[in-house]
């Protein structure tokens, strides 16, 4: 009996070994048999289903990468996004693998992708201000006979991300989220219309920003979720909801539905009755020591709600709100003799439609004790700018004791700060309302030293009081008596009393000197760069109305403010101004600039003069500051002032920053001017550079008024000629502007002008083959594009050009005319003493009649030519010797290919450009060079031109009208 059993076992083991060997052999051979099929089907699927550029370096097939699935792995995988981000990366990964259903592959020759694995990837999701996203790369195939033949389908049951970096930047919702070490496993039958997605996620570091404000930084996240997904409605319903941020647990319920334009969301996140220690784990990482080295007690409740519809096209936004409560809070840092105790916090905020003007903030309670010190605050406010406010702040805190109690490191502070303020009422700047207020703040014996700078700020003293019994601006009084501190052995002293904010009465004294760069180093503020030296000795006393009404004798403003090596920025300009040196002297209504020198990029300025209305500027919004200056410069580079140029100033206006963040090719923008200046200055610049042009010795009276720039009686040298100029410039937005020019140039070289001045080249395109001297008096106005170049279709104006002595060479119009008339004297003529008047509009230059002499002929020319070179000219060619007998000639076509019609007075109308001045857009461009008029027949040169004759041959003369007598 033993032999059969042994034999059976032996045979079974052989069969089992053979099966295992066969399976292993198949696992090795199948990827070798099907690589061409799989690779081709993957390419077909990508080409037919993706609206984005896909690339990878190598493809591999194996059962062992994600056993037991047969996987195709694409190395160095890159997928570009959909419009409007087609040039930007959506996904870049070391490896992307697709799990393939083996049964479908072997028996149906169909590639069913049911698993996706992404490892060591960067996923970059972007949404612009209009809600257009870069992730819409999948295009569902159309079910038509012409559909691309592909046996590839996407029916996911597992999605696996390992060690990924994800960035989500939604400019429409002002949300920026960045996750590092993102690990995610999602399971479910993703091919069904409705399915449950099981999620296991882990993030090593998570940042979350809303409207540029960080709410989470470098937080760990763990999530175990089950989400019901409806692919028909693109709806996500949260069913299982275990989430932990650092140590803080959260439970949330709700849904998220993607709509055609936007989304519908209802998320309610709750963490009820959890330990205060878990809440403190949400603090930035630098405060981890507080939990590790402290005894912490207390309970907390947290709720976050995000509910409503988002639709950018209809300006609809969800509501957002939160509620946070802490009770019996207690923190005792191990090295402190005093605990931070009796901490109670009850705060909530609601932002309807994500509109912070409707912010409803309620700080019901903020209480704590530190040793014997006690602090209390309750504040409620609602809406803006018509803000309803109620506040009660009272307490005294020893800053040194507070620092020790919470174990704050990295700086040393001391001093007793006291507060006792009550306020109730409405704040509205336009209505001049201010809450009824009584109380003040004080700091005695203040001291602060940080790790960023070796020396402290000492002897800090600050006593301020606020009084307002009537609830109006008129009754408001703020007194700072005094504020002082010592830094680097230099004392700083400020004493200020301000009252009646309807007509601010001020009494301000300031004295001291300060190295701004050193005091900046004390605090080392992020994204802030301050440098320079300031010394003040000021006494300012008066009322706003005194300066406004011209009652300068009632002002008592005096003293000096000295600046040196100061860096300053403006919201309008991309670069910083560096004030090398300057001394401001206050003399009643005027603030004088003495020995004031500054640089901006390559540009430099030396300024003398004064400003008016400076005090009003500090106390009121939209106040116009007036001034009168002289300014000298060795170089002004206008290109550097253009709003969208690169520069160190990151705090430009929101409008400018939004344009910069749109991506794509970045224009230079135009120069944006401040709206609150009314400045007149006598300018003297040795060199001015603008988009390749160089203007030398610019002099003139320059004004900046209400966002507009003017030059009056100006003059500059260019191409060896002195040019007089009057100009006006107005920026309409950071990418649009308008201008007016009146130029007078005497005896300039036409060849140099054509080669070196683009505007002249466009307005006088016929001067390409000319040499000699001309003069001009021309007015032109128009718009600038986003690179501050003239939009030629917008130009209009007119003026006179005087031809003193010009030799034409190879000018086809005269050469062809000479050939047609059989007169070589018209070839390459020399023109002298000619006055040509013309007007410009809609890309068409209309030339008034003018006469001249050349080789015995007396031509008379009028008509139209376009900026693109199209011609429609009427010539009366006066024949020698006296030009009494004239031959009518019409010239059409283009400057490169003129068409001459002898004995004719009818031409071909040149279509005009149509330009929308409101939108700064070209609606219709003029026809191409030599383009003929509409097909209903030849158009007339002017309304009073003679009707065309019905001649069959264009060269057949009209016997009645072909030869005329010059009545002049």
């Amino acid at each position: 009996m033993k032999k059969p059993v042994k034999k059976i076992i032996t045979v079974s083991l052989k069969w089992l070994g053979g099966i295992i060997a066969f399976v292993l052999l198949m696992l090795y051979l199948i990827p070798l048999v099907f690589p061409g099929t799989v690779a081709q089907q993957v390419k077909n699927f990508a080409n037919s289903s993706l609206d984005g550029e896909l690339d990878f370096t190598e493809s591999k097939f194996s059962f062992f990468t994600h056993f037991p699935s047969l996987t195709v792995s694409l190395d160095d995988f890159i997928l570009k996004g959909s419009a409007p981000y087609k040039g930007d990366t959506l996904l870049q990964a070391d490896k992307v693998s697709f799990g393939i259903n083996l049964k479908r592959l072997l028996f149906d020759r169909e590639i069913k992708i049911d698993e996706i694995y992404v490892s060591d990837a960067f996923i970059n999701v972007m949404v612009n201000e209009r809600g257009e996203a870069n992730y819409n790369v999948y295009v569902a195939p159309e079910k038509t006979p012409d559909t691309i033949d592909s046996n590839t389908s996407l029916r996911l049951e597992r999605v696996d991300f390992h060690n990924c970096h994800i960035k989500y930047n939604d400019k429409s919702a002002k949300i920026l989220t960045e996750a590092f070490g993102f690990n995610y496993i999602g399971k479910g039958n993703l091919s069904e219309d409705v399915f449950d997605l099981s999620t296991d996620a882990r993030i090593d570091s998570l940042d979350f920003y809303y409207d540029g404000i960080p709410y989470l930084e470098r937080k760990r996240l763990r999530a175990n979720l089950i989400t019901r997904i409806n692919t028909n409605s693109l709806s996500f319903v949260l069913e299982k909801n275990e989430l932990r941020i650092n140590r803080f647990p959260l439970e949330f319920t709700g849904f998220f539905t993607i709509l055609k334009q936007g989304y519908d969301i209802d998320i309610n996140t709750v963490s009820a009755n959890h330990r205060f220690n878990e809440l403190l784990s949400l603090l930035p990482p630098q405060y981890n020591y507080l939990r590790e080295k402290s005894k912490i007690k207390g309970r907390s409740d947290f709720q976050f709600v995000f509910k409503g519809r988002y639709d950018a096209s209809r300006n609809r936004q969800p509501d957002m709100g939160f509620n946070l409560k802490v009770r019996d809070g207690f923190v005792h840092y191990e090295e402190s003799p005093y605990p931070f105790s009796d901490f109670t916090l009850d705060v909530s905020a609601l932002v309807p439609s994500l509109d912070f003007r409707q912010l409803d903030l309620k700080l019901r309670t903020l209480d704590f004790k530190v040793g014997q010190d006690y602090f209390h605050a309750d504040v409620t406010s609602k809406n803006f700018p018509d803000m309803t406010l109620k506040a009660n702040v009272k307490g005294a805190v020893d800053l040194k004791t507070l620092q020790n109690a919470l174990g704050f490191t990295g700086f040393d502070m001391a001093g007793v700060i006291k507060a006792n303020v009550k306020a109730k009422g409405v704040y509205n700047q336009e209505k001049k309302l201010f809450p009824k207020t009584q109380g003040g703040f004080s700091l005695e014996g203040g001291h602060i030293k940080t790790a960023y700078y070796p020396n402290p700020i000492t002897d800090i003293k600050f006593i301020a009081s606020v009084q307002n019994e009537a609830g109006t601006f008129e009754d408001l009084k703020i007194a700072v008596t005094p504020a002082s501190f010592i830094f680097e052995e230099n004392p700083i002293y400020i004493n200020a009393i301000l009252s009646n904010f309807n007509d601010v009465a001020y009494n301000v004294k300031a004295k001291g000197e300060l190295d701004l760069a050193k005091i900046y180093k004390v605090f080392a503020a992020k994204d802030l760069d301050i440098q320079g030296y300031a010394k003040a000795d000021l006494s300012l006393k008066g009322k706003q109305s005194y300066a406004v009404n011209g009652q300068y004798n009632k002002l008592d403003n005096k003293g000096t403010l000295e600046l040196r090596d100061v860096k300053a920025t403006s919201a309008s300009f991309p670069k910083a101004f560096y004030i090398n040196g300057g001394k401001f002297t206050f003399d009643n209504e005027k603030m004088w600039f003495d020995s004031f020198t500054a640089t901006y990029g390559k540009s430099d300025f030396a300024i003398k003069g004064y400003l008016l209305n400076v005090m009003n500027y500090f106390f009121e919004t939209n106040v116009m500051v007036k001034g009168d200056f002289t300014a000298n410069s060795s170089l002004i580079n206008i290109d550097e002032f253009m709003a969208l140029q690169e520069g160190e100033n990151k705090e430009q206006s929101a409008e400018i920053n939004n344009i910069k963040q749109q991506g794509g090719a970045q224009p230079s923008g135009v120069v944006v001017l401040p709206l609150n200046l009314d400045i007149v200055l006598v300018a003297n610049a040795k060199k001015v550079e603008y988009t390749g042009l160089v203007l030398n010795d610019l002099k003139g009276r320059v004004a900046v008024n209400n966002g507009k720039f003017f030059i009056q009686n100006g003059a500059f040298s260019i191409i060896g000629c002195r040019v007089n100029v009057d100009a006006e410039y107005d920026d309409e937005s950071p990418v649009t502007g308008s201008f007016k020019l009146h130029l007078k140039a005497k005896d300039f070289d036409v060849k140099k002008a054509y080669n070196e001045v683009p505007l002249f080249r466009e307005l006088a395109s016929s001067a390409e083959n000319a040499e000699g001297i001309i003069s001009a008096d021309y007015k032109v106005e128009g718009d600038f594009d986003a690179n501050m170049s003239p939009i030629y279709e917008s130009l209009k104006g007119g003026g006179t050009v005087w031809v003193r002595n010009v030799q034409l060479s190879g000018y086809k119009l005269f050469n062809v005319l000479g050939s047609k008339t059989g007169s070589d004297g018209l070839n390459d003529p020399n023109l002298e003493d000619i006055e040509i008047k013309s007007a410009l509009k809609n890309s068409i230059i209309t030339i008034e009649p003018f006469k001249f002499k050349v080789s015995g002929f007396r031509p008379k020319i009028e008509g139209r030519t376009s900026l693109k070179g199209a011609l429609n000219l009427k010539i009366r060619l006066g024949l020698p010797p006296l030009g009494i007998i004239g031959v009518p000639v019409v010239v059409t076509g283009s400057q490169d290919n003129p068409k001459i019609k002898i004995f004719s007075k009818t031409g071909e109308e040149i279509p005009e450009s149509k330009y929308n001045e409101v939108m700064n857009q070209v609606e219709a461009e003029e026809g191409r060079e030599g383009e003929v008029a509409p097909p209903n027949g030849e158009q007339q040169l002017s309304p009073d031109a003679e009707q065309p004759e019905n001649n069959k041959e264009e060269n057949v003369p009209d016997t009645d009208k072909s030869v005329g007598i010059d009545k002049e």
Side-chain angles (χ1 to χ4, degrees), residues 16-67:
L16 179 61
I19 292 171
I20 293 174
F22 176 76
V23 170
L24 292 175
L25 180 62
M26 293 300 293
L27 292 177
Y28 176 75
L29 291 178
I30 287 176
L32 300 180
V33 173
F34 291 97
T37 301
V38 175
Q40 186 59 47
Q41 293 297 336
V42 168
K43 290 179 180 179
N44 289 344
F45 173 75
N47 291 332
S48 62
S49 303
L50 296 179
D51 179 25
E53 181 184 346
L54 183 147
D55 194 16
F56 53 89
T57 59
E58 186 179 5
S59 61
K60 300 176 183 177
F61 304 89
S62 174
F63 278 101
F64 303 105
T65 304
H66 297 285
F67 187 81

Side-chain angles (χ1 to χ4, degrees), residues 469-580:
E469 296 181 357
T472 64
F473 270 37
E474 184 179 2
D475 197 54
L476 177 60
K477 182 178 180 180
I478 300 175
V480 179
T481 54
S484 60
F485 63 88
I486 296 176
F487 180 66
E488 292 286 4
E489 300 182 353
N490 292 320
I492 304 295
Y493 172 87
I494 299 174
N495 193 320
I497 300 176
L498 307 175
S499 62
N500 186 6
F501 278 67
N502 282 341
D503 178 15
V504 178
Y506 57 89
N507 187 351
V508 180
K509 294 181 180 180
K511 189 173 183 178
E513 52 188 280
L514 193 62
D515 189 319
L516 301 178
K518 289 182 178 179
I519 202 166
Y520 154 71
K521 291 177 182 178
V522 171
F523 301 99
K526 186 179 180 181
D527 297 329
L528 181 64
D529 185 12
I530 298 176
Q531 57 191 35
Y533 168 89
K535 181 179 180 181
D537 187 358
L538 297 173
S539 176
L540 310 174
K541 186 176 182 181
K543 285 187 176 182
Q544 282 183 273
S545 58
Y546 294 165
V548 174
N549 299 328
Q551 297 172 290
Y552 303 130
N553 60 319
K554 294 184 178 181
L555 294 172
D556 187 14
N557 297 328
K558 55 188 177 183
T560 59
L561 174 63
E562 185 177 347
L563 300 178
R564 186 172 68 243
D565 300 327
V566 172
K567 176 183 177 182
T569 58
S570 168
S572 301
F573 304 122
K575 296 181 181 293
F577 290 88
Y578 289 88
I579 302 172
N580 304 320

Side-chain angles (χ1 to χ4, degrees), residues 761-779:
R761 188 160 53 245
E762 293 294 336
L763 297 179
S765 55
S766 59
E768 180 180 5
N769 299 308
E771 293 186 19
I773 303 299
I774 67 174
S775 299
D777 183 347
Y778 220 87
K779 293 181 179 180

Side-chain angles (χ1 to χ4, degrees), residues 30 34 37-38 41 63 68-70 99-115 150-157 189 191-192:
I30 287 176
F34 291 97
T37 301
V38 175
Q41 293 297 336
F63 278 101
S69 297
L70 172 62
I100 298 174
N101 186 295
L102 183 60
K103 174 179 174 297
R104 294 286 184 93
L105 178 64
L106 292 175
F107 299 106
D108 300 331
R109 304 288 290 181
E110 176 188 358
I111 298 175
K112 177 189 175 186
I113 299 174
D114 53 15
E115 297 176 352
S150 176
N151 294 322
T152 306
S153 61
L154 187 66
R155 299 181 180 179
L156 296 178
E157 297 178 3
N189 191 352
S191 63
E192 299 294 333

Side-chain angles (χ1 to χ4, degrees), residues 184 186-190 194-200 223-230 234-242 252 254-256 267:
Y184 171 91
K187 298 179 181 179
N189 191 352
L190 278 67
V194 180
F195 63 93
D196 288 338
L197 177 66
S198 175
T199 298
D200 183 10
N224 190 354
L225 315 171
I226 295 178
T227 306
R228 173 149 294 184
I229 300 177
N230 186 329
L234 289 178
S235 180
F236 304 82
V237 179
L238 305 173
E239 295 188 340
K240 185 179 179 181
N241 44 40
E242 298 176 3
F252 51 93
F255 67 85
F256 178 76
I267 302 294

Side-chain angles (χ1 to χ4, degrees), residues 828-845:
D828 299 335
N830 187 76
L831 308 180
E832 296 181 356
D833 300 326
I834 303 173
E835 180 179 307
I836 305 173
K837 294 183 179 181
S838 63
L840 169 64
K841 188 177 182 181
N842 298 331
S843 300
I844 303 297
I845 301 174

Side-chain angles (χ1 to χ4, degrees), residues 161-180:
F161 291 85
H162 174 69
N163 191 32
C164 296
H165 171 200
I166 296 179
K167 185 176 182 180
Y168 176 81
N169 188 3
D170 188 340
K171 295 178 182 177
S172 65
K174 301 180 182 179
I175 290 175
L176 172 63
T177 302
E178 195 157 12
F180 297 88

Side-chain angles (χ1 to χ4, degrees), residues 929-948:
E929 295 181 0
E931 184 175 80
V932 297
N936 60 342
E938 289 182 321
Q939 302 297 314
Q940 313 311 315
L941 289 174
S942 61
D944 57 352
E946 297 183 33
Q947 297 295 320

